[in-house]
């Protein structure tokens, strides 16, 4: 999400419709929510309530729900119009994935990438619940998160840390658990950014070319989990896909999301990512954010311009009704049991920290009490500390230096250990490099209530345990760092790298990281410290991989910990692991390569001939992160410093007894979905008649700027120029007649048969060490054939074990887990290639393996 008014202004110059000419898939018409109404009971109740509500609305009231009131027009970062006649206030939408942005008395949670590193469904869920409770406590209706786009195609990607992992299975599990947690607290979650927004450079113009199979098996996968978890909203991204902007892309929105995945909620634009009136409406967008930014006279692509388009017949009424039904269905889904008027009040303003301020800051009108400083932190600090500690990945621990047992003295070295000198919130949206790093920068941030730095946590631990503590903050004064390190029994050196959103540039990095090395001389600092102290511990706060081959092989670097972006309890979480209160159990949610080139994917730094339309081809297909490093023949296997899923413990585990049980009652082949939808329903009066009916009521006092749903004139249509008309679209775009059901569809997340369990796999795991610990067993499936990776993650668990204890871990493989996407049949299928399962402690340390028996009714083609 971008929040710069300057950029919003530049989006007002679009040129009518921009539909891709050669889409091989029927992306029109935009599926109406009712088309799968009976097959998804989880939405049925919400849908019925939404229909009842929308049936009572006028055209302008419906349009009000679909269009933001404009940047800073109301108190939240996104605000829709309301239905004052029925006592329904507009919706409040707020960033972001680590906490409620732009307010106070909130918490800052560990970033998504840390949550991925926990490999813990339980912690994912608990964090979602806590986030949901904080948004709810401020009166927010829609939380703009969690993130599965970017997925993490390139490690330099500026916003990768907001999401969970470049592995779609892990990201999908984290999406689903987070969404269930958020929505259980009465807040609509928003799966973003949909889709293929994999870098910050040129994000508003880049045109991504991707094949259908890679789309399904990699980038769409976690969004399918989000839809299956019942996510209420999805945010379309800034980029283009195959020539068409994501927010008017009939392939990604209509065909994939709403039709194949059966998404019943609403699609909102990223801020300023809408470029047309008709293209977006017919292409499946349901809510325009922040609402302004279109051409005059409406200064919005929707609002009054959408009302005109419906009255002109260019957007069918059923499409508008569907937008409104989808928005209200998401709302009622998370407010089960309560009615719309009993919604909490918004009790903060994103735009001021004063008690009294404007309700409408963009027009400086309606002075009122806007901030009630409601404390929503509850007991979340304990959970934040727990996730912080359990997401730390112990990469190296030579001679079992860790956990520390009361060393006589420690030296804490590096700026990344320190309290930010001007406070943790000194720079807007964390847009500077100062002190310890515990989140990235950009819109995916929140204000810290406090930030426990590693230096302060280590100092207080030292004071209470009679450990001599010295500390130095400069990364450039190597002589001082060395002399401090030389004197200490243990030297703990900190280094970081920053990443964030591209509207902020730090040290020449415009969101995306320019390189994969440590910032601020970090590599030299580690080298200098290690040159004088063989008990050097390195702590890394980075958004993803950095190049650490040198420290991995440096014998004086005894330990390396990756702590990610842990949020407000950073230092406490670290102390818990360093001193063994928490036995490390985090696992790397990405691969650590030897060089940047080893990743096999490239960020697009420079455009080709046409700077307005840089084309980016995802030619590596599904071979991203470990799927690429594991490829035989490309030489990268050896160039993995630490593999995906890797992480050490203070104890040791032993794997045994792999058992694969095939379900005898579930055949391998399953029936594709078939049949027809109902026709597109409309609700309420069919609109038409005098235009005066659609202008503001007499005596209504407009404020300006503010986006309204009314027509500007009762004399005629004025939106005019550049808006296009429906004849520029295929006839199907406005066709509300019955439509065929796609083979892979049928319910939220796709055909329910995809989620049937075909195999149950068990293994026993024993703690063979002296201390209690948690193992994260991982299951990889080899789908077979050269066009599949060596293995893909398809299961994981967290197994807590006392010393000497043995437990059985159980993995369930669904049909989807063992399928590939068949582009010809447009469906998932289990190929006849022999398949194998591997169980291990990371993608490279496989302890057990077995051939998967062919499913009932199928045989493998061997060889
Ligand atoms: C997108 O482009 C890719 C590569 O050119 C092509 O394989 C694919 O079929 C296209 N998809 C759509 C929906 O046009
Ligand atoms: C649209 O919403 C705005 C803001 O809530 C409100 O002032 C206006 O009256 C609404 N219009 C209609 C038609 O309800
Ligand atoms: C919703 O709740 C309010 C307050 O409890 C009540 O006055 C109102 O009638 C209810 N509305 C509906 C539609 O049930
Ligand atoms: C703020 O909103 C929350 C959520 O409805 C509510 O519980 C709380 O009472 C409100 N606080 C104030 C001071 O309005
Ligand atoms: C309120 O905002 C102003 C201006 O951004 C800032 O200088 C001030 O420190 C803030 N006050 C508090 C209590 O956060
Ligand atoms: C609103 O007031 C602020 C200062 O209080 C000023 O900077 C801004 O320009 C004003 N905006 C409008 C639309 O008057
Ligand atoms: C660490 O040293 C820096 C100066 O190098 C100082 O500002 C900071 O307060 C010290 N931190 C602690 C916890 O002693
Ligand atoms: C603290 O440590 C010092 C030196 O390591 C030792 O001389 C002293 O007795 C210790 N004090 C306590 C209270 O343990
Ligand atoms: C290191 O120890 C030596 C000898 O005890 C002492 O002279 C020196 O000041 C110490 N240096 C630092 C930076 O503490
Ligand atoms: C990589 O970028 C960081 C941040 O801008 C910078 O500190 C570092 O020097 C760069 N590394 C190289 C090798 O250029
Ligand atoms: C619900 O879907 C069924 C087909 O699954 C269709 O026949 C029916 O018309 C739909 N209901 C509505 C209200 O559209």
């Amino acid at each position: 999400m971008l929040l710069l008014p300057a950029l919003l202004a530049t989006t007002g110059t679009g040129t009518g419709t921009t539909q891709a000419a050669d889409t091989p898939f029927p992306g029109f018409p935009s599926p109406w929510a009712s088309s799968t109404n009976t097959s998804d009971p989880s939405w049925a109740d919400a849908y019925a309530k939404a229909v009842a509500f929308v049936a009572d609305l006028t055209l302008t009231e419906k349009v009000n729900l679909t269009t933001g009131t404009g940047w800073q027009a109301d108190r939240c970062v996104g605000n829709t119009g309301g239905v004052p006649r029925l006592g329904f206030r507009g919706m409040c939408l707020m960033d972001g994935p680590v906490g409620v942005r732009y307010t106070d008395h909130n918490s800052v949670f560990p970033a998504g990438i840390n949550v991925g590193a926990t490999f813990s469904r339980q912690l994912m869920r608990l964090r979602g619940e806590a986030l949901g409770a904080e948004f709810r406590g401020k009166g927010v209706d829609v939380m703009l998160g969690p993130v599965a786009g970017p997925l993490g195609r390139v490690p330099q990607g500026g916003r990768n840390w907001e999401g969970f992992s470049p592995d779609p299975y892990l990201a999908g599990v984290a999406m689903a658990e987070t969404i269930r947690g958020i929505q259980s607290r009465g807040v609509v979650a928003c799966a973003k950014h949909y889709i293929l927004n994999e870098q910050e450079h040129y994000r508003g113009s880049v045109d991504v070319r991707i094949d259908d199979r890679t789309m399904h098996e990699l980038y769409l996968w976690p969004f399918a989990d989000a839809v299956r978890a019942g996510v209420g909203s999805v945010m379309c991204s800034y980029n283009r896909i195959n020539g068409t902007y994501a927010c008017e892309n009939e392939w990604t929105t209509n065909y994939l999301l709403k039709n194949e995945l059966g998404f019943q909620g609403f699609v909102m634009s990223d801020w300023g990512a809408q470029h047309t009136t008709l293209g977006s409406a017919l292409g499946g967008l349901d809510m325009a954010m922040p609402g302004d930014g279109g051409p005059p006279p409406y200064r919005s692509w929707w609002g009054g311009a959408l009302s005109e388009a419906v009255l002109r017949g260019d957007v069918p009424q059923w499409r508008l009704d569907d937008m409104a039904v989808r928005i209200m269905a998401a709302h009622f889904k998370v407010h089960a049991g309560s009615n719309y008027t009993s919604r909490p009040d918004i009790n903060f303003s994103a735009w001021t920290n004063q008690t009294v301020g404007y309700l409408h800051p963009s027009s400086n009108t309606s002075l009122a009490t806007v901030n009630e400083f409601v404390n929503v932190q509850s007991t979340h600090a304990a959970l934040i500390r727990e996730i912080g500690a359990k997401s730390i990945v112990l990469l190296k621990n030579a001679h079992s230096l860790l956990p520390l047992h009361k060393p006589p003295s420690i030296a804490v070295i590096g700026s990344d250990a320190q309290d930010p000198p001007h406070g943790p919130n000194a720079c807007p949206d964390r847009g500077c490099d100062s002190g310890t790093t515990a989140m990235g920068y950009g819109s995916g941030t929140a204000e810290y209530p406090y930030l426990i730095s590693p230096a302060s946590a280590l100092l207080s631990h030292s004071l209470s345990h009679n450990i001599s503590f010295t500390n130095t903050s400069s990364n450039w004064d190597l002589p001082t760092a060395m002399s401090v390190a030389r004197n200490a029994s243990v030297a703990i050196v900190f280094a970081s790298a920053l990443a964030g959103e591209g509207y902020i540039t730090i040290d020449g990095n415009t969101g995306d990281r320019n390189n994969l090395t440590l910032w601020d001389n970090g590599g030299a600092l580690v080298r200098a410290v290690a040159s004088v102290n063989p008990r050097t511990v390195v702590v890394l706060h980075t958004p993803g991989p950095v190049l650490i081959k040198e420290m991995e092989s440096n014998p004086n670097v005894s330990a390396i910990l990756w702590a990610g972006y842990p949020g407000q309890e950073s230092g406490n979480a670290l102390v818990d692991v360093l001193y063994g209160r928490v036995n490390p159990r985090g696992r790397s949610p990405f691969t650590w390569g030897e060089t940047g080139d080893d990743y096999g994917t490239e960020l697009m730094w420079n455009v080709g001939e046409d700077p307005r339309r840089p084309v980016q081809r995802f030619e590596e297909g599904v071979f991203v992160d470990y799927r690429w490093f594991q490829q035989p023949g490309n030489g990268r296997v050896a160039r993995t410093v630490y593999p995906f899923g890797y992480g050490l413990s203070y104890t040791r585990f032993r794997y045994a007894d792999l058992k694969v049980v095939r379900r005898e009652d579930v055949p391998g082949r399953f029936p594709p979905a078939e049949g027809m939808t109902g026709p597109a329903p409309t609700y309420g009066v069919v609109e038409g008649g005098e235009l005066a009916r659609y202008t503001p009521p007499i005596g209504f006092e407009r404020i300006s700027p503010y986006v309204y749903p009314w027509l500007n004139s009762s004399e005629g249509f004025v939106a005019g120029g550049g808006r296009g008309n429906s004849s520029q679209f295929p006839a199907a775009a406005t066709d509300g007649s019955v439509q065929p059901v796609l083979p892979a569809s049928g319910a939220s997340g796709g055909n329910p048969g995809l989620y049937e369990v075909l195999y149950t796999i068990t293994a026993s795991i024993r703690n063979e060490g002296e201390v209690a610990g948690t193992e994260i067993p991982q299951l990889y499936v080899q789908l077979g054939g050269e066009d599949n990776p060596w293995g893909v993650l398809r299961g994981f668990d967290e197994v807590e074990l006392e010393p000497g204890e043995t437990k059985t871990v159980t993995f369930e493989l669904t049909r989807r887990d063992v399928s590939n996407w068949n582009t010809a049949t447009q469906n998932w299928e289990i190929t006849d290639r022999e398949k194998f399962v591997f169980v291990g402690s990371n993608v490279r340390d496989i302890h057990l393996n077995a051939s998967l028996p062919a499913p009932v009714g199928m045989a493998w083609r061997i060889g």
Side-chain angles (χ1 to χ4, degrees):
M1 219 206 82
L2 181 89
L3 296 171
L4 288 187
L7 199 128
L8 291 177
T10 66
T11 61
T13 53
T15 52
T17 60
T18 56
Q19 298 304 301
D22 54 352
T23 299
F25 311 113
F28 295 117
S30 186
W32 36 95
S34 59
S35 62
T36 50
N37 61 51
T38 53
S39 55
D40 197 336
S42 70
W43 280 89
D45 185 47
Y47 175 76
K49 285 183 186 160
V51 165
F53 182 84
V54 173
D56 197 24
L57 301 186
T58 65
L59 176 129
T60 48
E61 286 168 342
K62 291 171 191 166
V63 169
N64 233 14
L65 297 175
T66 69
T67 307
T69 55
W71 180 241
Q72 297 189 326
D74 289 294
R75 278 169 289 174
C76 302
V77 300
N79 310 270
T80 68
V83 187
R85 184 173 61 86
L86 299 176
F88 184 79
R89 70 162 168 80
M91 291 193 187
C92 164
L93 289 64
M94 285 299 296
D95 294 305
V98 299
V100 195
R101 188 188 186 198
Y102 284 157
T103 185
D104 44 64
H105 300 84
N106 58 287
S107 304
V108 169
F109 290 81
I113 198 74
N114 286 66
V115 179
T118 66
F119 281 74
S120 167
R121 289 176 177 80
Q122 191 204 4
L123 292 175
M124 291 164 181
R125 176 73 70 102
L126 290 173
R127 175 175 169 275
E129 288 173 0
L131 278 166
E134 296 208 1
F135 280 79
R136 171 82 179 191
K138 293 285 183 183
V140 177
D141 299 290
V142 183
M143 168 180 157
L144 303 177
V147 171
L151 185 65
R153 172 179 179 264
V154 278
Q156 293 90 342
R159 301 186 75 175
N160 292 359
W161 58 275
E162 294 186 40
F164 304 101
S165 169
D167 178 79
Y169 180 89
L170 177 56
V173 170
M175 288 294 279
E177 296 295 346
T178 305
I179 287 161
R180 290 194 177 100
I182 293 166
Q183 296 197 158
S184 75
R185 295 300 182 265
V187 172
V188 176
C190 175
K192 68 182 191 180
H193 308 81
Y194 184 76
I195 191 170
L196 309 181
N197 187 173
E198 292 291 323
Q199 63 175 62
E200 288 297 288
H201 279 76
Y202 311 111
R203 71 173 180 185
S205 55
V206 70
D207 183 2
V208 174
R209 300 298 157 92
I210 188 169
D211 65 275
D212 186 30
R213 182 183 156 222
T214 303
M215 180 64 126
H216 279 86
E217 296 187 8
L218 212 60
Y219 299 97
L220 188 63
W221 183 288
F223 285 99
D225 290 305
V227 173
R228 185 168 155 79
V231 73
S233 67
V234 169
M235 184 193 288
C236 50
S237 52
Y238 286 114
N239 53 294
R240 294 168 160 111
I241 301 119
N242 276 20
T244 306
Y245 280 114
C247 289
E248 44 204 71
N249 193 304
E250 74 277 11
W251 176 45
T252 56
T253 306
N254 288 342
Y255 184 85
L256 295 177
L257 181 65
K258 290 184 171 177
N259 206 341
E260 185 182 318
L261 298 185
F263 177 55
Q264 300 294 300
F266 66 95
V267 176
M268 74 174 82
S269 70
D270 203 339
W271 269 232
Q274 183 192 26
H275 297 273
T276 61
T277 300
L278 297 189
S280 58
L282 301 175
L285 187 71
D286 302 303
M287 182 186 281
M289 278 293 148
D292 53 352
Y298 290 106
R299 304 210 165 272
S300 172
W301 290 109
W302 281 6
L306 180 59
S307 299
E308 283 198 8
V310 174
L311 289 168
R312 279 200 320 256
D314 284 327
V315 172
Q317 187 187 332
W318 61 257
R319 181 71 268 270
L320 173 65
D321 289 358
D322 180 54
M323 296 175 192
V325 165
R326 286 173 173 277
I327 291 165
M328 292 312 298
H331 174 75
F332 287 119
K333 188 169 195 293
V334 305
H335 287 104
S338 73
N339 78 27
Y340 58 86
T341 52
S342 62
R343 257 192 310 167
D345 281 337
I346 301 166
N347 54 39
F348 74 103
S349 169
W351 312 121
T352 177
N353 58 15
Q354 305 298 301
T355 305
V356 172
Y358 295 116
L359 288 176
H360 311 296
S362 62
S363 54
N364 287 350
T365 54
S366 305
L367 215 47
T369 295
V370 290
N371 276 314
E372 299 181 39
F373 308 103
V374 181
N375 189 326
V376 293
Q377 296 168 78
S378 182
T379 55
H380 300 155
L383 176 67
I384 291 167
R385 179 172 180 164
E386 182 183 356
I387 297 172
K390 292 182 174 176
S391 60
I392 288 175
V393 182
L394 180 62
L395 293 170
K396 181 177 180 182
N397 194 16
H399 324 297
S400 298
L401 176 66
L402 300 181
L404 299 174
H405 299 287
K406 217 165 179 279
S409 61
I410 63 167
V412 173
I413 299 159
S415 58
D416 179 57
Q418 308 297 327
D419 290 320
H422 305 289
N425 299 319
C427 303
D429 301 341
R430 309 296 78 77
C432 62
D433 180 12
S434 151
T436 192
T437 301
M439 69 170 108
Y441 60 91
S443 67
T445 53
E447 305 298 297
Y448 288 109
Y450 59 81
L451 171 56
I452 307 289
S453 70
S456 66
L458 284 162
L459 173 62
S460 52
H461 180 271
S462 300
L463 289 173
S464 59
H465 291 78
N466 194 25
I467 297 166
S468 160
F469 171 95
T470 47
N471 161 40
T472 177
S473 66
S474 170
N475 281 18
W476 300 92
D477 180 357
L478 300 183
T480 300
M482 286 160 79
S483 104
V484 165
R486 193 181 283 117
N487 282 15
S489 43
V490 176
I492 310 175
V493 54
F494 290 78
S496 68
L498 276 60
E501 200 171 348
Y503 67 90
I504 294 174
T505 296
I506 304 179
D507 196 23
N509 297 262
T510 302
D512 303 316
R513 284 190 281 161
N514 287 345
N515 62 55
L516 292 181
T517 60
L518 289 164
W519 285 34
D520 305 319
N521 210 31
L525 181 68
V526 170
R527 207 176 306 127
V529 167
S531 72
V532 297
N533 192 324
R535 288 171 311 281
T536 294
V537 176
V538 177
V539 178
L540 302 171
H541 288 121
T542 68
V546 284
L547 306 181
I548 55 171
K549 176 69 189 165
E550 183 187 322
M551 61 179 91
E552 181 250 359
S553 47
N554 183 332
N556 277 6
V557 173
S558 291
I560 306 174
L561 300 100
W562 176 78
Y565 286 169
Q568 69 190 42
E569 289 282 331
S570 174
N572 288 334
L574 179 69
V575 169
D576 288 344
V577 168
L578 287 176
Y579 285 94
R581 278 200 292 265
V582 171
N583 188 344
R585 42 156 292 175
R587 297 294 184 265
S588 182
F590 47 78
T591 302
W592 300 72
E594 204 169 309
T595 71
D597 290 342
D598 292 335
Y599 287 87
T601 49
E602 264 180 56
L603 201 132
M604 180 188 266
W605 298 105
N606 296 297
V607 297
E609 306 88 71
D610 184 356
R612 285 163 303 156
R613 188 169 273 227
V615 170
Q616 188 179 25
R617 297 176 198 282
F618 285 16
E619 274 166 351
E620 71 287 343
V622 298
F623 294 96
V624 163
D625 198 74
Y626 69 85
R627 292 156 200 251
W628 168 251
F629 280 87
Q630 291 290 105
Q631 272 297 85
N634 67 12
R636 308 304 181 208
V637 176
R639 295 174 69 85
T640 299
V641 182
Y642 296 111
F644 176 88
Y646 184 83
L648 301 171
S649 165
Y650 296 152
T651 185
R652 304 180 308 279
F653 303 99
R654 207 181 121 75
Y655 286 63
D657 305 327
L658 182 66
K659 289 196 186 69
V660 178
V661 176
R662 181 181 74 163
R663 281 276 298 271
E664 297 304 322
D665 53 339
V666 185
R669 308 270 181 225
F670 72 124
E674 53 184 33
M676 304 295 281
T677 68
T682 53
Y683 304 108
V685 262
V686 176
E687 302 293 347
E690 294 294 313
L691 293 189
R693 287 174 54 198
Y694 307 102
T695 54
I698 291 162
F700 183 84
E701 284 187 41
R702 284 171 180 263
I703 53 175
S704 179
Y706 201 89
V707 176
Y708 292 103
W710 290 294
L711 305 192
N712 272 13
S713 164
S714 57
E715 304 301 313
F717 297 123
V718 297
R723 300 281 182 166
N725 62 64
S726 57
S727 70
Q728 292 165 275
F729 294 82
T734 50
D735 179 2
S737 66
V738 297
Q739 299 293 319
V741 168
L742 295 181
S745 74
S748 292
N751 193 322
L754 290 171
Y755 299 92
E756 283 179 329
V757 173
L758 261 52
Y759 302 94
T760 302
I761 293 159
T762 54
S764 70
I765 301 181
R766 180 179 161 81
N767 181 350
E768 300 213 309
E770 271 68 62
V771 292
T774 299
E775 173 65 338
I776 308 286
Q778 298 155 40
L779 179 140
Y780 296 87
V781 175
Q782 189 170 89
L783 295 166
E786 282 182 6
D787 53 355
N788 276 309
W790 167 86
V792 290
L793 184 72
R794 287 294 187 257
F796 61 82
D797 207 346
E798 47 183 332
V799 185
E800 289 175 28
L801 293 165
E802 294 300 320
E805 193 184 8
T806 302
K807 280 184 187 164
T808 299
V809 58
T810 303
F811 305 101
E812 296 200 315
L813 283 182
T814 65
R815 184 177 274 114
R816 177 192 188 218
D817 289 332
V818 294
S819 292
N820 281 105
W821 180 253
N822 183 322
T823 57
T825 61
Q826 288 293 292
N827 206 350
W828 295 93
E829 71 168 22
I830 303 173
T831 67
D832 62 4
R833 295 153 174 179
E834 187 178 17
K835 305 188 196 310
F836 297 88
V837 289
F838 305 100
V839 175
S841 38
N842 62 64
V843 73
R844 300 286 297 282
D845 278 327
I846 300 302
H847 306 302
L848 307 167
N849 64 71
S851 169
L852 208 56
V856 171
M858 293 185 64
W860 299 142
R861 174 168 50 89
I862 308 295

